[in-house]
mmCIF file with all atom_site columns, all heavy atoms in Angstrom:
data_model
loop_
_atom_site.group_PDB
_atom_site.id
_atom_site.type_symbol
_atom_site.label_atom_id
_atom_site.label_alt_id
_atom_site.label_comp_id
_atom_site.label_asym_id
_atom_site.label_entity_id
_atom_site.label_seq_id
_atom_site.pdbx_PDB_ins_code
_atom_site.Cartn_x
_atom_site.Cartn_y
_atom_site.Cartn_z
_atom_site.occupancy
_atom_site.B_iso_or_equiv
_atom_site.pdbx_formal_charge
_atom_site.auth_seq_id
_atom_site.auth_comp_id
_atom_site.auth_asym_id
_atom_site.auth_atom_id
_atom_site.pdbx_PDB_model_num
ATOM 1   N N   . MET A 1 1  ? 104.510 96.223  86.540 1.00 0.00 ? 4  MET A N   1
ATOM 2   C CA  . MET A 1 1  ? 103.339 96.857  86.085 1.00 0.00 ? 4  MET A CA  1
ATOM 3   C C   . MET A 1 1  ? 102.452 95.947  85.237 1.00 0.00 ? 4  MET A C   1
ATOM 4   O O   . MET A 1 1  ? 101.387 96.320  84.792 1.00 0.00 ? 4  MET A O   1
ATOM 5   C CB  . MET A 1 1  ? 103.686 98.158  85.256 1.00 0.00 ? 4  MET A CB  1
ATOM 6   C CG  . MET A 1 1  ? 104.272 99.210  86.113 1.00 0.00 ? 4  MET A CG  1
ATOM 7   S SD  . MET A 1 1  ? 104.735 100.752 85.209 1.00 0.00 ? 4  MET A SD  1
ATOM 8   C CE  . MET A 1 1  ? 103.158 101.527 85.114 1.00 0.00 ? 4  MET A CE  1
ATOM 9   N N   . GLU A 1 2  ? 102.966 94.719  85.033 1.00 0.00 ? 5  GLU A N   1
ATOM 10  C CA  . GLU A 1 2  ? 102.212 93.760  84.228 1.00 0.00 ? 5  GLU A CA  1
ATOM 11  C C   . GLU A 1 2  ? 100.841 93.441  84.808 1.00 0.00 ? 5  GLU A C   1
ATOM 12  O O   . GLU A 1 2  ? 99.970  92.978  84.068 1.00 0.00 ? 5  GLU A O   1
ATOM 13  C CB  . GLU A 1 2  ? 103.068 92.461  84.075 1.00 0.00 ? 5  GLU A CB  1
ATOM 14  C CG  . GLU A 1 2  ? 104.336 92.664  83.274 1.00 0.00 ? 5  GLU A CG  1
ATOM 15  C CD  . GLU A 1 2  ? 104.047 93.060  81.817 1.00 0.00 ? 5  GLU A CD  1
ATOM 16  O OE1 . GLU A 1 2  ? 103.224 92.359  81.216 1.00 0.00 ? 5  GLU A OE1 1
ATOM 17  O OE2 . GLU A 1 2  ? 104.636 94.019  81.322 1.00 0.00 ? 5  GLU A OE2 1
ATOM 18  N N   . TRP A 1 3  ? 100.618 93.636  86.103 1.00 0.00 ? 6  TRP A N   1
ATOM 19  C CA  . TRP A 1 3  ? 99.298  93.319  86.705 1.00 0.00 ? 6  TRP A CA  1
ATOM 20  C C   . TRP A 1 3  ? 98.232  94.133  86.020 1.00 0.00 ? 6  TRP A C   1
ATOM 21  O O   . TRP A 1 3  ? 97.049  93.730  86.050 1.00 0.00 ? 6  TRP A O   1
ATOM 22  C CB  . TRP A 1 3  ? 99.323  93.687  88.222 1.00 0.00 ? 6  TRP A CB  1
ATOM 23  C CG  . TRP A 1 3  ? 99.498  95.134  88.445 1.00 0.00 ? 6  TRP A CG  1
ATOM 24  C CD1 . TRP A 1 3  ? 100.687 95.792  88.707 1.00 0.00 ? 6  TRP A CD1 1
ATOM 25  C CD2 . TRP A 1 3  ? 98.502  96.172  88.543 1.00 0.00 ? 6  TRP A CD2 1
ATOM 26  N NE1 . TRP A 1 3  ? 100.491 97.134  88.910 1.00 0.00 ? 6  TRP A NE1 1
ATOM 27  C CE2 . TRP A 1 3  ? 99.158  97.365  88.794 1.00 0.00 ? 6  TRP A CE2 1
ATOM 28  C CE3 . TRP A 1 3  ? 97.160  96.184  88.364 1.00 0.00 ? 6  TRP A CE3 1
ATOM 29  C CZ2 . TRP A 1 3  ? 98.451  98.587  88.932 1.00 0.00 ? 6  TRP A CZ2 1
ATOM 30  C CZ3 . TRP A 1 3  ? 96.432  97.362  88.471 1.00 0.00 ? 6  TRP A CZ3 1
ATOM 31  C CH2 . TRP A 1 3  ? 97.104  98.535  88.756 1.00 0.00 ? 6  TRP A CH2 1
ATOM 32  N N   . GLN A 1 4  ? 98.538  95.271  85.381 1.00 0.00 ? 7  GLN A N   1
ATOM 33  C CA  . GLN A 1 4  ? 97.536  96.127  84.754 1.00 0.00 ? 7  GLN A CA  1
ATOM 34  C C   . GLN A 1 4  ? 96.774  95.465  83.642 1.00 0.00 ? 7  GLN A C   1
ATOM 35  O O   . GLN A 1 4  ? 95.633  95.815  83.365 1.00 0.00 ? 7  GLN A O   1
ATOM 36  C CB  . GLN A 1 4  ? 98.238  97.387  84.223 1.00 0.00 ? 7  GLN A CB  1
ATOM 37  C CG  . GLN A 1 4  ? 98.745  98.283  85.325 1.00 0.00 ? 7  GLN A CG  1
ATOM 38  C CD  . GLN A 1 4  ? 99.397  99.553  84.768 1.00 0.00 ? 7  GLN A CD  1
ATOM 39  O OE1 . GLN A 1 4  ? 99.414  99.754  83.557 1.00 0.00 ? 7  GLN A OE1 1
ATOM 40  N NE2 . GLN A 1 4  ? 99.894  100.384 85.655 1.00 0.00 ? 7  GLN A NE2 1
ATOM 41  N N   . LYS A 1 5  ? 97.446  94.430  82.950 1.00 0.00 ? 8  LYS A N   1
ATOM 42  C CA  . LYS A 1 5  ? 96.773  93.796  81.853 1.00 0.00 ? 8  LYS A CA  1
ATOM 43  C C   . LYS A 1 5  ? 95.419  93.219  82.189 1.00 0.00 ? 8  LYS A C   1
ATOM 44  O O   . LYS A 1 5  ? 94.528  93.116  81.384 1.00 0.00 ? 8  LYS A O   1
ATOM 45  C CB  . LYS A 1 5  ? 97.695  92.691  81.301 1.00 0.00 ? 8  LYS A CB  1
ATOM 46  C CG  . LYS A 1 5  ? 98.956  93.296  80.611 1.00 0.00 ? 8  LYS A CG  1
ATOM 47  C CD  . LYS A 1 5  ? 99.851  92.170  80.067 1.00 0.00 ? 8  LYS A CD  1
ATOM 48  C CE  . LYS A 1 5  ? 101.020 92.765  79.357 1.00 0.00 ? 8  LYS A CE  1
ATOM 49  N NZ  . LYS A 1 5  ? 101.877 91.776  78.786 1.00 0.00 ? 8  LYS A NZ  1
ATOM 50  N N   . LYS A 1 6  ? 95.256  92.819  83.398 1.00 0.00 ? 9  LYS A N   1
ATOM 51  C CA  . LYS A 1 6  ? 94.025  92.202  83.906 1.00 0.00 ? 9  LYS A CA  1
ATOM 52  C C   . LYS A 1 6  ? 92.896  93.215  83.966 1.00 0.00 ? 9  LYS A C   1
ATOM 53  O O   . LYS A 1 6  ? 91.686  92.830  83.994 1.00 0.00 ? 9  LYS A O   1
ATOM 54  C CB  . LYS A 1 6  ? 94.295  91.602  85.307 1.00 0.00 ? 9  LYS A CB  1
ATOM 55  C CG  . LYS A 1 6  ? 93.221  90.830  85.926 1.00 0.00 ? 9  LYS A CG  1
ATOM 56  C CD  . LYS A 1 6  ? 93.696  90.201  87.220 1.00 0.00 ? 9  LYS A CD  1
ATOM 57  C CE  . LYS A 1 6  ? 92.614  89.509  87.935 1.00 0.00 ? 9  LYS A CE  1
ATOM 58  N NZ  . LYS A 1 6  ? 93.100  88.956  89.271 1.00 0.00 ? 9  LYS A NZ  1
ATOM 59  N N   . TYR A 1 7  ? 93.256  94.530  84.052 1.00 0.00 ? 10 TYR A N   1
ATOM 60  C CA  . TYR A 1 7  ? 92.181  95.534  84.279 1.00 0.00 ? 10 TYR A CA  1
ATOM 61  C C   . TYR A 1 7  ? 92.058  96.529  83.147 1.00 0.00 ? 10 TYR A C   1
ATOM 62  O O   . TYR A 1 7  ? 91.459  97.603  83.318 1.00 0.00 ? 10 TYR A O   1
ATOM 63  C CB  . TYR A 1 7  ? 92.501  96.311  85.608 1.00 0.00 ? 10 TYR A CB  1
ATOM 64  C CG  . TYR A 1 7  ? 92.586  95.385  86.743 1.00 0.00 ? 10 TYR A CG  1
ATOM 65  C CD1 . TYR A 1 7  ? 93.828  94.962  87.248 1.00 0.00 ? 10 TYR A CD1 1
ATOM 66  C CD2 . TYR A 1 7  ? 91.401  94.909  87.349 1.00 0.00 ? 10 TYR A CD2 1
ATOM 67  C CE1 . TYR A 1 7  ? 93.875  94.097  88.361 1.00 0.00 ? 10 TYR A CE1 1
ATOM 68  C CE2 . TYR A 1 7  ? 91.507  94.032  88.453 1.00 0.00 ? 10 TYR A CE2 1
ATOM 69  C CZ  . TYR A 1 7  ? 92.705  93.679  88.905 1.00 0.00 ? 10 TYR A CZ  1
ATOM 70  O OH  . TYR A 1 7  ? 92.794  92.761  89.962 1.00 0.00 ? 10 TYR A OH  1
ATOM 71  N N   . LEU A 1 8  ? 92.586  96.172  81.954 1.00 0.00 ? 11 LEU A N   1
ATOM 72  C CA  . LEU A 1 8  ? 92.472  97.066  80.825 1.00 0.00 ? 11 LEU A CA  1
ATOM 73  C C   . LEU A 1 8  ? 91.093  97.302  80.353 1.00 0.00 ? 11 LEU A C   1
ATOM 74  O O   . LEU A 1 8  ? 90.216  96.422  80.490 1.00 0.00 ? 11 LEU A O   1
ATOM 75  C CB  . LEU A 1 8  ? 93.285  96.506  79.661 1.00 0.00 ? 11 LEU A CB  1
ATOM 76  C CG  . LEU A 1 8  ? 94.824  96.563  79.855 1.00 0.00 ? 11 LEU A CG  1
ATOM 77  C CD1 . LEU A 1 8  ? 95.513  95.749  78.715 1.00 0.00 ? 11 LEU A CD1 1
ATOM 78  C CD2 . LEU A 1 8  ? 95.346  98.013  79.812 1.00 0.00 ? 11 LEU A CD2 1
ATOM 79  N N   . LEU A 1 9  ? 90.858  98.469  79.826 1.00 0.00 ? 12 LEU A N   1
ATOM 80  C CA  . LEU A 1 9  ? 89.578  98.805  79.236 1.00 0.00 ? 12 LEU A CA  1
ATOM 81  C C   . LEU A 1 9  ? 89.240  97.831  78.098 1.00 0.00 ? 12 LEU A C   1
ATOM 82  O O   . LEU A 1 9  ? 90.181  97.488  77.332 1.00 0.00 ? 12 LEU A O   1
ATOM 83  C CB  . LEU A 1 9  ? 89.653  100.254 78.689 1.00 0.00 ? 12 LEU A CB  1
ATOM 84  C CG  . LEU A 1 9  ? 88.313  100.903 78.199 1.00 0.00 ? 12 LEU A CG  1
ATOM 85  C CD1 . LEU A 1 9  ? 87.423  101.159 79.394 1.00 0.00 ? 12 LEU A CD1 1
ATOM 86  C CD2 . LEU A 1 9  ? 88.601  102.204 77.488 1.00 0.00 ? 12 LEU A CD2 1
ATOM 87  N N   . PRO A 1 10 ? 88.063  97.326  77.989 1.00 0.00 ? 13 PRO A N   1
ATOM 88  C CA  . PRO A 1 10 ? 87.734  96.362  76.919 1.00 0.00 ? 13 PRO A CA  1
ATOM 89  C C   . PRO A 1 10 ? 88.130  96.978  75.581 1.00 0.00 ? 13 PRO A C   1
ATOM 90  O O   . PRO A 1 10 ? 87.967  98.210  75.323 1.00 0.00 ? 13 PRO A O   1
ATOM 91  C CB  . PRO A 1 10 ? 86.236  96.177  77.036 1.00 0.00 ? 13 PRO A CB  1
ATOM 92  C CG  . PRO A 1 10 ? 85.925  96.465  78.462 1.00 0.00 ? 13 PRO A CG  1
ATOM 93  C CD  . PRO A 1 10 ? 86.924  97.549  78.884 1.00 0.00 ? 13 PRO A CD  1
ATOM 94  N N   . GLY A 1 11 ? 88.717  96.179  74.743 1.00 0.00 ? 14 GLY A N   1
ATOM 95  C CA  . GLY A 1 11 ? 89.157  96.611  73.416 1.00 0.00 ? 14 GLY A CA  1
ATOM 96  C C   . GLY A 1 11 ? 90.666  96.840  73.323 1.00 0.00 ? 14 GLY A C   1
ATOM 97  O O   . GLY A 1 11 ? 91.210  96.958  72.208 1.00 0.00 ? 14 GLY A O   1
ATOM 98  N N   . ILE A 1 12 ? 91.331  96.954  74.474 1.00 0.00 ? 15 ILE A N   1
ATOM 99  C CA  . ILE A 1 12 ? 92.799  97.080  74.482 1.00 0.00 ? 15 ILE A CA  1
ATOM 100 C C   . ILE A 1 12 ? 93.419  95.732  74.525 1.00 0.00 ? 15 ILE A C   1
ATOM 101 O O   . ILE A 1 12 ? 93.015  94.854  75.324 1.00 0.00 ? 15 ILE A O   1
ATOM 102 C CB  . ILE A 1 12 ? 93.277  97.863  75.724 1.00 0.00 ? 15 ILE A CB  1
ATOM 103 C CG1 . ILE A 1 12 ? 92.561  99.203  75.843 1.00 0.00 ? 15 ILE A CG1 1
ATOM 104 C CG2 . ILE A 1 12 ? 94.772  98.042  75.729 1.00 0.00 ? 15 ILE A CG2 1
ATOM 105 C CD1 . ILE A 1 12 ? 92.850  100.237 74.785 1.00 0.00 ? 15 ILE A CD1 1
ATOM 106 N N   . ASP A 1 13 ? 94.304  95.466  73.575 1.00 0.00 ? 16 ASP A N   1
ATOM 107 C CA  . ASP A 1 13 ? 94.943  94.102  73.456 1.00 0.00 ? 16 ASP A CA  1
ATOM 108 C C   . ASP A 1 13 ? 96.038  93.917  74.566 1.00 0.00 ? 16 ASP A C   1
ATOM 109 O O   . ASP A 1 13 ? 97.044  94.602  74.521 1.00 0.00 ? 16 ASP A O   1
ATOM 110 C CB  . ASP A 1 13 ? 95.527  93.921  72.091 1.00 0.00 ? 16 ASP A CB  1
ATOM 111 C CG  . ASP A 1 13 ? 96.137  92.574  71.879 1.00 0.00 ? 16 ASP A CG  1
ATOM 112 O OD1 . ASP A 1 13 ? 95.980  91.671  72.767 1.00 0.00 ? 16 ASP A OD1 1
ATOM 113 O OD2 . ASP A 1 13 ? 96.749  92.365  70.805 1.00 0.00 ? 16 ASP A OD2 1
ATOM 114 N N   . PRO A 1 14 ? 95.822  92.996  75.514 1.00 0.00 ? 17 PRO A N   1
ATOM 115 C CA  . PRO A 1 14 ? 96.796  92.821  76.576 1.00 0.00 ? 17 PRO A CA  1
ATOM 116 C C   . PRO A 1 14 ? 98.154  92.341  75.994 1.00 0.00 ? 17 PRO A C   1
ATOM 117 O O   . PRO A 1 14 ? 99.212  92.522  76.627 1.00 0.00 ? 17 PRO A O   1
ATOM 118 C CB  . PRO A 1 14 ? 96.217  91.804  77.519 1.00 0.00 ? 17 PRO A CB  1
ATOM 119 C CG  . PRO A 1 14 ? 94.886  91.416  76.962 1.00 0.00 ? 17 PRO A CG  1
ATOM 120 C CD  . PRO A 1 14 ? 94.661  92.218  75.719 1.00 0.00 ? 17 PRO A CD  1
ATOM 121 N N   . ASN A 1 15 ? 98.104  91.644  74.861 1.00 0.00 ? 18 ASN A N   1
ATOM 122 C CA  . ASN A 1 15 ? 99.363  91.105  74.266 1.00 0.00 ? 18 ASN A CA  1
ATOM 123 C C   . ASN A 1 15 ? 100.276 92.155  73.770 1.00 0.00 ? 18 ASN A C   1
ATOM 124 O O   . ASN A 1 15 ? 101.522 91.983  73.679 1.00 0.00 ? 18 ASN A O   1
ATOM 125 C CB  . ASN A 1 15 ? 99.040  90.150  73.176 1.00 0.00 ? 18 ASN A CB  1
ATOM 126 C CG  . ASN A 1 15 ? 98.262  88.915  73.674 1.00 0.00 ? 18 ASN A CG  1
ATOM 127 O OD1 . ASN A 1 15 ? 98.561  88.399  74.719 1.00 0.00 ? 18 ASN A OD1 1
ATOM 128 N ND2 . ASN A 1 15 ? 97.267  88.484  72.927 1.00 0.00 ? 18 ASN A ND2 1
ATOM 129 N N   . THR A 1 16 ? 99.757  93.348  73.405 1.00 0.00 ? 19 THR A N   1
ATOM 130 C CA  . THR A 1 16 ? 100.615 94.441  72.918 1.00 0.00 ? 19 THR A CA  1
ATOM 131 C C   . THR A 1 16 ? 100.708 95.550  73.936 1.00 0.00 ? 19 THR A C   1
ATOM 132 O O   . THR A 1 16 ? 101.440 96.510  73.632 1.00 0.00 ? 19 THR A O   1
ATOM 133 C CB  . THR A 1 16 ? 100.054 94.983  71.588 1.00 0.00 ? 19 THR A CB  1
ATOM 134 O OG1 . THR A 1 16 ? 98.702  95.507  71.809 1.00 0.00 ? 19 THR A OG1 1
ATOM 135 C CG2 . THR A 1 16 ? 100.030 93.912  70.493 1.00 0.00 ? 19 THR A CG2 1
ATOM 136 N N   . TYR A 1 17 ? 100.075 95.472  75.058 1.00 0.00 ? 20 TYR A N   1
ATOM 137 C CA  . TYR A 1 17 ? 100.095 96.478  76.079 1.00 0.00 ? 20 TYR A CA  1
ATOM 138 C C   . TYR A 1 17 ? 101.472 96.549  76.769 1.00 0.00 ? 20 TYR A C   1
ATOM 139 O O   . TYR A 1 17 ? 101.941 95.528  77.248 1.00 0.00 ? 20 TYR A O   1
ATOM 140 C CB  . TYR A 1 17 ? 98.998  96.211  77.105 1.00 0.00 ? 20 TYR A CB  1
ATOM 141 C CG  . TYR A 1 17 ? 98.908  97.236  78.206 1.00 0.00 ? 20 TYR A CG  1
ATOM 142 C CD1 . TYR A 1 17 ? 98.513  98.551  77.955 1.00 0.00 ? 20 TYR A CD1 1
ATOM 143 C CD2 . TYR A 1 17 ? 99.217  96.919  79.522 1.00 0.00 ? 20 TYR A CD2 1
ATOM 144 C CE1 . TYR A 1 17 ? 98.432  99.476  78.971 1.00 0.00 ? 20 TYR A CE1 1
ATOM 145 C CE2 . TYR A 1 17 ? 99.146  97.854  80.545 1.00 0.00 ? 20 TYR A CE2 1
ATOM 146 C CZ  . TYR A 1 17 ? 98.736  99.087  80.254 1.00 0.00 ? 20 TYR A CZ  1
ATOM 147 O OH  . TYR A 1 17 ? 98.668  100.034 81.266 1.00 0.00 ? 20 TYR A OH  1
ATOM 148 N N   . ALA A 1 18 ? 102.094 97.691  76.759 1.00 0.00 ? 21 ALA A N   1
ATOM 149 C CA  . ALA A 1 18 ? 103.409 97.859  77.363 1.00 0.00 ? 21 ALA A CA  1
ATOM 150 C C   . ALA A 1 18 ? 103.426 99.099  78.197 1.00 0.00 ? 21 ALA A C   1
ATOM 151 O O   . ALA A 1 18 ? 103.827 100.180 77.795 1.00 0.00 ? 21 ALA A O   1
ATOM 152 C CB  . ALA A 1 18 ? 104.498 97.992  76.237 1.00 0.00 ? 21 ALA A CB  1
ATOM 153 N N   . PRO A 1 19 ? 102.971 98.953  79.470 1.00 0.00 ? 22 PRO A N   1
ATOM 154 C CA  . PRO A 1 19 ? 102.898 100.195 80.339 1.00 0.00 ? 22 PRO A CA  1
ATOM 155 C C   . PRO A 1 19 ? 104.277 100.685 80.779 1.00 0.00 ? 22 PRO A C   1
ATOM 156 O O   . PRO A 1 19 ? 105.184 99.912  80.884 1.00 0.00 ? 22 PRO A O   1
ATOM 157 C CB  . PRO A 1 19 ? 102.118 99.646  81.558 1.00 0.00 ? 22 PRO A CB  1
ATOM 158 C CG  . PRO A 1 19 ? 102.423 98.201  81.625 1.00 0.00 ? 22 PRO A CG  1
ATOM 159 C CD  . PRO A 1 19 ? 102.534 97.762  80.174 1.00 0.00 ? 22 PRO A CD  1
ATOM 160 N N   . THR A 1 20 ? 104.323 102.022 80.925 1.00 0.00 ? 23 THR A N   1
ATOM 161 C CA  . THR A 1 20 ? 105.531 102.611 81.440 1.00 0.00 ? 23 THR A CA  1
ATOM 162 C C   . THR A 1 20 ? 105.115 103.511 82.641 1.00 0.00 ? 23 THR A C   1
ATOM 163 O O   . THR A 1 20 ? 103.958 103.724 82.848 1.00 0.00 ? 23 THR A O   1
ATOM 164 C CB  . THR A 1 20 ? 106.278 103.397 80.437 1.00 0.00 ? 23 THR A CB  1
ATOM 165 O OG1 . THR A 1 20 ? 105.393 104.544 80.049 1.00 0.00 ? 23 THR A OG1 1
ATOM 166 C CG2 . THR A 1 20 ? 106.646 102.596 79.191 1.00 0.00 ? 23 THR A CG2 1
ATOM 167 N N   . ARG A 1 21 ? 106.078 104.089 83.309 1.00 0.00 ? 24 ARG A N   1
ATOM 168 C CA  . ARG A 1 21 ? 105.803 104.945 84.461 1.00 0.00 ? 24 ARG A CA  1
ATOM 169 C C   . ARG A 1 21 ? 104.929 106.156 84.048 1.00 0.00 ? 24 ARG A C   1
ATOM 170 O O   . ARG A 1 21 ? 104.015 106.565 84.698 1.00 0.00 ? 24 ARG A O   1
ATOM 171 C CB  . ARG A 1 21 ? 107.100 105.423 85.113 1.00 0.00 ? 24 ARG A CB  1
ATOM 172 C CG  . ARG A 1 21 ? 106.838 106.292 86.321 1.00 0.00 ? 24 ARG A CG  1
ATOM 173 C CD  . ARG A 1 21 ? 108.069 107.112 86.758 1.00 0.00 ? 24 ARG A CD  1
ATOM 174 N NE  . ARG A 1 21 ? 108.513 107.938 85.692 1.00 0.00 ? 24 ARG A NE  1
ATOM 175 C CZ  . ARG A 1 21 ? 109.752 108.044 85.250 1.00 0.00 ? 24 ARG A CZ  1
ATOM 176 N NH1 . ARG A 1 21 ? 110.717 107.286 85.760 1.00 0.00 ? 24 ARG A NH1 1
ATOM 177 N NH2 . ARG A 1 21 ? 110.051 108.843 84.255 1.00 0.00 ? 24 ARG A NH2 1
ATOM 178 N N   . ASP A 1 22 ? 105.252 106.732 82.843 1.00 0.00 ? 25 ASP A N   1
ATOM 179 C CA  . ASP A 1 22 ? 104.574 107.936 82.401 1.00 0.00 ? 25 ASP A CA  1
ATOM 180 C C   . ASP A 1 22 ? 103.394 107.709 81.437 1.00 0.00 ? 25 ASP A C   1
ATOM 181 O O   . ASP A 1 22 ? 102.721 108.670 81.069 1.00 0.00 ? 25 ASP A O   1
ATOM 182 C CB  . ASP A 1 22 ? 105.601 108.854 81.738 1.00 0.00 ? 25 ASP A CB  1
ATOM 183 C CG  . ASP A 1 22 ? 106.740 109.272 82.694 1.00 0.00 ? 25 ASP A CG  1
ATOM 184 O OD1 . ASP A 1 22 ? 106.498 109.222 83.908 1.00 0.00 ? 25 ASP A OD1 1
ATOM 185 O OD2 . ASP A 1 22 ? 107.818 109.619 82.182 1.00 0.00 ? 25 ASP A OD2 1
ATOM 186 N N   . ASN A 1 23 ? 103.205 106.489 80.981 1.00 0.00 ? 26 ASN A N   1
ATOM 187 C CA  . ASN A 1 23 ? 102.128 106.148 79.992 1.00 0.00 ? 26 ASN A CA  1
ATOM 188 C C   . ASN A 1 23 ? 101.629 104.784 80.277 1.00 0.00 ? 26 ASN A C   1
ATOM 189 O O   . ASN A 1 23 ? 102.296 103.775 80.074 1.00 0.00 ? 26 ASN A O   1
ATOM 190 C CB  . ASN A 1 23 ? 102.784 106.221 78.550 1.00 0.00 ? 26 ASN A CB  1
ATOM 191 C CG  . ASN A 1 23 ? 103.173 107.607 78.160 1.00 0.00 ? 26 ASN A CG  1
ATOM 192 O OD1 . ASN A 1 23 ? 102.364 108.486 77.844 1.00 0.00 ? 26 ASN A OD1 1
ATOM 193 N ND2 . ASN A 1 23 ? 104.489 107.849 78.217 1.00 0.00 ? 26 ASN A ND2 1
ATOM 194 N N   . TRP A 1 24 ? 100.374 104.736 80.771 1.00 0.00 ? 27 TRP A N   1
ATOM 195 C CA  . TRP A 1 24 ? 99.792  103.422 81.014 1.00 0.00 ? 27 TRP A CA  1
ATOM 196 C C   . TRP A 1 24 ? 98.254  103.571 80.963 1.00 0.00 ? 27 TRP A C   1
ATOM 197 O O   . TRP A 1 24 ? 97.709  104.682 80.957 1.00 0.00 ? 27 TRP A O   1
ATOM 198 C CB  . TRP A 1 24 ? 100.178 102.835 82.375 1.00 0.00 ? 27 TRP A CB  1
ATOM 199 C CG  . TRP A 1 24 ? 100.116 103.788 83.541 1.00 0.00 ? 27 TRP A CG  1
ATOM 200 C CD1 . TRP A 1 24 ? 101.126 104.494 84.090 1.00 0.00 ? 27 TRP A CD1 1
ATOM 201 C CD2 . TRP A 1 24 ? 98.931  104.161 84.288 1.00 0.00 ? 27 TRP A CD2 1
ATOM 202 N NE1 . TRP A 1 24 ? 100.686 105.262 85.137 1.00 0.00 ? 27 TRP A NE1 1
ATOM 203 C CE2 . TRP A 1 24 ? 99.331  105.039 85.342 1.00 0.00 ? 27 TRP A CE2 1
ATOM 204 C CE3 . TRP A 1 24 ? 97.629  103.738 84.290 1.00 0.00 ? 27 TRP A CE3 1
ATOM 205 C CZ2 . TRP A 1 24 ? 98.459  105.565 86.262 1.00 0.00 ? 27 TRP A CZ2 1
ATOM 206 C CZ3 . TRP A 1 24 ? 96.730  104.249 85.218 1.00 0.00 ? 27 TRP A CZ3 1
ATOM 207 C CH2 . TRP A 1 24 ? 97.177  105.144 86.178 1.00 0.00 ? 27 TRP A CH2 1
ATOM 208 N N   . GLY A 1 25 ? 97.601  102.456 80.867 1.00 0.00 ? 28 GLY A N   1
ATOM 209 C CA  . GLY A 1 25 ? 96.063  102.460 80.844 1.00 0.00 ? 28 GLY A CA  1
ATOM 210 C C   . GLY A 1 25 ? 95.585  102.536 79.448 1.00 0.00 ? 28 GLY A C   1
ATOM 211 O O   . GLY A 1 25 ? 96.331  102.488 78.468 1.00 0.00 ? 28 GLY A O   1
ATOM 212 N N   . PRO A 1 26 ? 94.287  102.752 79.306 1.00 0.00 ? 29 PRO A N   1
ATOM 213 C CA  . PRO A 1 26 ? 93.288  102.985 80.339 1.00 0.00 ? 29 PRO A CA  1
ATOM 214 C C   . PRO A 1 26 ? 92.937  101.685 81.120 1.00 0.00 ? 29 PRO A C   1
ATOM 215 O O   . PRO A 1 26 ? 92.764  100.590 80.512 1.00 0.00 ? 29 PRO A O   1
ATOM 216 C CB  . PRO A 1 26 ? 92.073  103.484 79.577 1.00 0.00 ? 29 PRO A CB  1
ATOM 217 C CG  . PRO A 1 26 ? 92.220  102.961 78.171 1.00 0.00 ? 29 PRO A CG  1
ATOM 218 C CD  . PRO A 1 26 ? 93.753  102.822 77.942 1.00 0.00 ? 29 PRO A CD  1
#
């Protein structure tokens, strides 16, 4: 799911982003 870091809403820090099956995005 790490591919999502490339498409995060501006303002979301990709360094602290930790997506899971039930909680990810925006």
